């Protein structure tokens, strides 16, 4: 009979926190684009970095994506580190 390795309680918690964060990440990005797409650009926004301009909206989205991606990478690394290890069962 094959022996199946399983995660410990800490590993399961890390994996579910990672899954929950992935769901939050998708929800946050969709919500951000939905809300920001409803905002009209400021009529006098001439600087490309002004947050009221179209470029500013995309810059804000990119910065939010980078921050959430780095948090996701840390949580994913923790979930990967707590994976079950050991020798492969022979058979």
């Amino acid at each position: 009979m094959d022996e199946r390795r399983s995660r410990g309680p800490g590993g399961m918690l890390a994996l579910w926190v990672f899954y929950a964060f992935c769901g939050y990440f998708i929800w946050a990005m969709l919500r951000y684009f939905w809300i920001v797409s409803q905002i009209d650009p400021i009529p006098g926004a001439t600087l490309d970095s002004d947050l009221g301009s179209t470029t500013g909206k995309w810059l804000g989205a990119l910065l939010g994506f980078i921050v959430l991606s780095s948090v996701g990478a840390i949580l994913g690394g923790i979930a990967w580190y707590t994976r079950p290890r050991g020798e492969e069962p022979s058979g």
Side-chain angles (χ1 to χ4, degrees):
M1 182 138 235
D2 288 332
E3 222 180 278
R4 185 178 176 126
R5 297 173 294 186
S6 62
R7 292 178 179 264
M12 289 297 291
L13 177 64
L15 186 63
W16 281 107
V17 166
F18 176 69
Y19 287 159
F21 183 79
C22 287
Y24 170 74
F25 177 84
I26 292 168
W27 175 79
M29 286 292 110
L30 290 175
R31 181 175 171 260
Y32 181 81
F33 285 117
W34 179 62
I35 290 174
V36 169
S37 67
Q38 302 299 320
I39 299 172
D40 294 326
I42 297 173
T46 56
L47 296 174
D48 285 341
S49 63
D50 189 8
L51 290 178
S53 67
T54 303
T55 306
K57 291 179 190 179
W58 285 106
L59 183 62
L62 178 65
L63 291 176
F65 179 80
I66 290 171
V67 169
L68 289 178
S69 294
S70 62
V71 171
I74 291 169
L75 291 175
I78 292 170
W80 178 81
Y81 184 74
T82 59
R83 74 191 187 283
R85 294 190 185 110
E87 302 241 352
E88 290 289 326
S90 61

